[in-house]
Amino acid sequence: MAQVPFLSIVAPCHNEEEGLREFCRRAAAAAQSVAGDAFELILVDDGSSDRTWEIISDLAADVPQVLGVRLLRNHGHQLASTAGLSASRGERVLLIDADLQDPPELLLMMMPIMERGADVVYGQRTRRQGESWFKLASASLFYRALSKLASVTIPRDTGDFRLMRRRVVDILLAMPERDRFIRGMVSWIGGRQVALPYERDARFAGTTKYPLRKMINFALDAITSFSTTPLRISTWLGMMSAGVAIALLVYTFIRWLQGETVTGWSSIMAAVSVFSAIQLICIGIIGEYLGRLVLESKKRPMFMVETIVRGSEHAELSIAFSEMSASDKRAALDAAFASEEPPRSQNNSRIG
């Protein structure tokens, strides 16, 4: 059984062939600065269509600390991150994207904060380079709306870039929901969580994996996971519509008593359209929550692992791996590579 590492770095990857080697070089250098050789670098291939998995396999063969996890299909960033966290064994776990927008070198600043008692150290963006005005404006609007709607305090201008203690990761993995919003789930766990302000860099290579459609779906997952306010809004809209409808009936009755008739096809159609729109909005809001309940009730695996690789050895995990407890997951990983040799020294590895 391989020695349990002190630090785990988890990086979900989707079509990151252009910058993956540079990310590994910088992440490994940062990890070695704080943990020596007692770290692991977990790269999760989230159904990439380029050479990402081939590069991960090469890195695993060259760098003893690299563990490659290949998902059976594209599950999305949040579930790919969950798969990587499930495979982690370290007492400290850094979750970071592989696009190098979040500098791995900030680990050297995060670790001392955690040593002073923090349970979570999260990066808080003060500036975002290389992003369009629309992305910046929509992100700002999203975080501010979420802070008003959410039932827990979710820090503004933060992503999933954070360093966590093992107990926080184990609690996070024990939360069974499929529509995951990791930064909100970590906030819900509580404990001492400390912000580390930083300037976010532009992508090292490639293009963003979050187009407008995915951004909207991500926002819906975040709001419906941590707030029932939209349901209350639909109730308020229904009550307001009922009040307006009653007022119109009273007004029509009074005009009838006065011997006057209300004419105007346009005004009637406008009123019908307004009430119909409100009803459809309310039904849509309820449908979002109901749809998530249906998906949760199916109890399908959260993610499916096709293969994992460490060194030159490939192994498979049980289809039930995603549903195991944190301790059982670590036991399954140890069993998968039970016959492997002890990790070699970092000085004998090659990155690049």
Side-chain angles (χ1 to χ4, degrees):
M1 182 176 65
Q3 180 182 3
V4 177
F6 172 72
L7 172 68
S8 297
I9 299 179
V10 174
C13 310
H14 180 63
N15 294 339
E16 297 288 355
E17 64 176 356
E18 295 175 323
L20 189 53
R21 292 185 183 276
E22 176 64 13
F23 168 78
C24 287
R25 184 189 67 79
R26 289 174 56 180
Q32 194 170 33
S33 297
V34 299
D37 288 339
F39 74 92
E40 61 181 356
L41 178 56
I42 301 172
L43 304 175
V44 183
D45 178 18
D46 186 24
S48 298
S49 57
D50 61 2
R51 296 179 58 252
T52 295
W53 179 247
E54 180 181 336
I55 294 173
I56 291 175
S57 299
D58 290 343
L59 288 168
D62 292 340
V63 184
Q65 287 84 5
V66 170
L67 172 67
V69 179
R70 189 178 196 182
L71 301 185
L72 199 58
R73 64 172 178 82
N74 177 256
H75 287 274
H77 180 272
Q78 298 296 285
L79 291 182
S81 298
T82 302
L85 293 173
S86 299
S88 68
R89 299 176 297 148
E91 289 301 315
R92 305 285 187 269
V93 182
L94 177 70
L95 180 58
I96 184 173
D97 289 342
D99 56 15
L100 288 174
Q101 287 188 278
D102 302 321
E105 293 78 10
L106 288 179
L107 175 64
L108 279 69
M109 300 175 65
M110 290 177 161
M111 194 67 76
I113 298 175
M114 181 159 287
E115 295 301 329
R116 292 195 293 268
D119 295 298
V120 178
V121 183
Y122 59 87
Q124 190 164 42
R125 305 156 184 163
T126 58
R127 186 180 178 186
R128 300 161 65 113
Q129 299 182 23
E131 296 186 352
S132 66
W133 68 268
F134 176 77
K135 179 67 176 293
L136 295 174
S138 60
S140 177
L141 177 63
F142 164 69
Y143 284 114
R144 277 144 188 80
L146 183 61
S147 66
K148 297 293 184 182
L149 295 174
S151 57
V152 298
T153 301
I154 301 176
R156 296 181 180 181
D157 302 316
T158 62
D160 294 325
F161 178 42
R162 59 196 61 224
L163 179 66
M164 298 173 283
R165 290 185 184 272
R166 167 51 54 186
R167 63 182 179 184
V168 173
V169 175
D170 287 347
I171 295 172
L172 177 63
L173 294 176
M175 300 166 74
E177 55 257 49
R178 268 68 174 168
D179 291 313
R180 301 176 79 79
F181 182 59
I182 291 176
R183 66 201 69 170
M185 296 167 74
V186 173
S187 295
W188 181 89
I189 291 171
R192 188 184 176 201
Q193 305 199 11
V194 181
L196 176 65
Y198 75 105
E199 292 189 8
R200 197 177 199 215
D201 297 333
R203 287 185 62 90
F204 177 80
T207 59
T208 179
K209 307 306 185 296
Y210 263 94
L212 180 60
R213 175 181 59 83
K214 287 189 176 181
M215 288 173 58
I216 293 174
N217 289 337
F218 185 63
L220 288 174
D221 287 340
I223 292 172
T224 53
S225 294
F226 288 92
S227 176
T228 58
T229 300
L231 288 174
R232 294 176 182 173
I233 291 175
S234 67
T235 302
W236 297 336
L237 287 173
M239 294 174 65
M240 290 171 58
S241 300
V244 172
I246 292 172
L248 287 174
L249 287 174
V250 172
Y251 172 75
T252 303
F253 182 69
I254 292 174
R255 296 295 297 270
W256 179 75
L257 291 177
Q258 293 174 346
E260 300 177 3
T261 57
V262 179
T263 59
W265 179 85
S266 298
S267 60
I268 294 175
M269 291 304 297
V272 171
S273 299
V274 168
F275 291 133
S276 299
I278 291 175
Q279 290 175 346
L280 291 174
I281 290 173
C282 295
I283 292 173
I285 292 172
I286 295 171
E288 285 290 337
Y289 285 90
L290 183 60
R292 281 158 173 74
L293 287 175
V294 170
L295 293 176
E296 294 291 340
S297 68
K298 291 181 178 179
K299 301 297 182 182
R300 292 174 178 170
M302 193 178 300
F303 55 83
M304 296 169 289
V305 178
E306 178 178 345
T307 185
I308 55 176
V309 58
R310 178 181 288 154
S312 59
E313 184 177 358
H314 290 252
E316 295 184 358
L317 296 173
S318 167
I319 195 66
F321 178 75
S322 65
E323 312 306 315
M324 294 178 181
S325 66
S327 59
D328 287 344
K329 287 174 180 174
R330 289 193 286 273
L333 285 167
D334 289 338
F337 296 106
S339 62
E340 71 174 0
E341 297 179 359
R344 296 164 291 165
S345 170
Q346 175 69 21
N347 296 330
N348 297 328
S349 63
R350 305 188 305 276
I351 304 178

Short mmCIF file of all heavy atoms in Angstrom, two decimals, residues 18 33 42 148 161 167 186 220 247 273 288 350:
data_model
loop_
_atom_site.label_atom_id
_atom_site.label_comp_id
_atom_site.label_asym_id
_atom_site.label_seq_id
_atom_site.Cartn_x
_atom_site.Cartn_y
_atom_site.Cartn_z
N GLU A 18 -3.30 21.69 -24.18
CA GLU A 18 -2.31 22.71 -24.48
C GLU A 18 -1.56 23.20 -23.24
O GLU A 18 -0.39 23.57 -23.33
CB GLU A 18 -2.99 23.89 -25.17
CG GLU A 18 -3.56 23.54 -26.54
CD GLU A 18 -4.34 24.71 -27.13
OE1 GLU A 18 -5.02 25.43 -26.36
OE2 GLU A 18 -4.26 24.91 -28.35
N SER A 33 7.26 22.34 -2.44
CA SER A 33 7.76 23.39 -1.56
C SER A 33 7.16 23.29 -0.16
O SER A 33 7.80 23.68 0.82
CB SER A 33 7.46 24.77 -2.16
OG SER A 33 8.13 24.94 -3.39
N ILE A 42 -3.83 14.76 -8.47
CA ILE A 42 -4.92 13.98 -9.07
C ILE A 42 -5.51 14.76 -10.25
O ILE A 42 -6.07 15.84 -10.08
CB ILE A 42 -6.01 13.69 -8.03
CG1 ILE A 42 -5.42 12.92 -6.85
CG2 ILE A 42 -7.16 12.90 -8.66
CD1 ILE A 42 -6.37 12.75 -5.69
N LYS A 148 -27.99 37.28 -1.88
CA LYS A 148 -29.28 37.74 -1.36
C LYS A 148 -30.27 36.59 -1.20
O LYS A 148 -31.11 36.60 -0.30
CB LYS A 148 -29.87 38.79 -2.31
CG LYS A 148 -29.05 40.07 -2.45
CD LYS A 148 -29.03 40.86 -1.15
CE LYS A 148 -28.29 42.18 -1.34
NZ LYS A 148 -28.21 42.96 -0.08
N PHE A 161 -11.63 27.21 -6.12
CA PHE A 161 -10.22 27.21 -5.76
C PHE A 161 -10.09 27.39 -4.25
O PHE A 161 -10.34 28.46 -3.71
CB PHE A 161 -9.51 28.35 -6.50
CG PHE A 161 -8.06 28.51 -6.17
CD1 PHE A 161 -7.23 27.41 -6.04
CD2 PHE A 161 -7.51 29.78 -6.03
CE1 PHE A 161 -5.88 27.56 -5.75
CE2 PHE A 161 -6.17 29.95 -5.74
CZ PHE A 161 -5.35 28.83 -5.61
N ARG A 167 -11.21 16.58 7.15
CA ARG A 167 -12.55 16.42 7.72
C ARG A 167 -13.59 17.18 6.92
O ARG A 167 -14.72 16.73 6.78
CB ARG A 167 -12.57 16.86 9.18
CG ARG A 167 -12.26 18.35 9.42
CD ARG A 167 -12.26 18.68 10.88
NE ARG A 167 -11.95 20.08 11.14
CZ ARG A 167 -11.82 20.60 12.34
NH1 ARG A 167 -11.96 19.82 13.40
NH2 ARG A 167 -11.53 21.88 12.50
N VAL A 186 -19.41 23.77 0.60
CA VAL A 186 -18.33 23.98 1.57
C VAL A 186 -18.71 25.09 2.55
O VAL A 186 -18.45 24.99 3.75
CB VAL A 186 -17.01 24.30 0.85
CG1 VAL A 186 -15.92 24.68 1.84
CG2 VAL A 186 -16.56 23.12 0.00
N LEU A 220 -28.59 28.20 -12.13
CA LEU A 220 -29.83 27.57 -11.68
C LEU A 220 -29.54 26.50 -10.62
O LEU A 220 -30.26 26.40 -9.62
CB LEU A 220 -30.57 26.94 -12.87
CG LEU A 220 -31.23 27.92 -13.85
CD1 LEU A 220 -31.80 27.18 -15.04
CD2 LEU A 220 -32.33 28.72 -13.16
N ALA A 247 -59.59 42.76 -7.68
CA ALA A 247 -59.82 44.20 -7.88
C ALA A 247 -60.49 44.46 -9.22
O ALA A 247 -61.40 45.30 -9.32
CB ALA A 247 -58.50 44.95 -7.78
N SER A 273 -52.96 37.87 -20.93
CA SER A 273 -51.56 37.55 -21.23
C SER A 273 -50.67 37.70 -19.99
O SER A 273 -49.80 36.87 -19.73
CB SER A 273 -51.03 38.45 -22.36
OG SER A 273 -51.77 38.25 -23.55
N GLU A 288 -38.43 23.46 -11.94
CA GLU A 288 -36.98 23.35 -11.70
C GLU A 288 -36.70 22.54 -10.44
O GLU A 288 -35.84 21.67 -10.42
CB GLU A 288 -36.37 24.75 -11.58
CG GLU A 288 -36.22 25.49 -12.90
CD GLU A 288 -35.16 24.89 -13.79
OE1 GLU A 288 -34.25 24.20 -13.27
OE2 GLU A 288 -35.24 25.09 -15.02
N ARG A 350 10.05 13.41 -14.37
CA ARG A 350 10.15 14.43 -15.40
C ARG A 350 8.78 15.06 -15.61
O ARG A 350 7.78 14.37 -15.72
CB ARG A 350 10.63 13.82 -16.73
CG ARG A 350 11.93 13.06 -16.61
CD ARG A 350 12.43 12.65 -18.00
NE ARG A 350 11.42 11.90 -18.74
CZ ARG A 350 11.23 10.60 -18.61
NH1 ARG A 350 11.92 9.93 -17.73
NH2 ARG A 350 10.31 9.98 -19.35
#
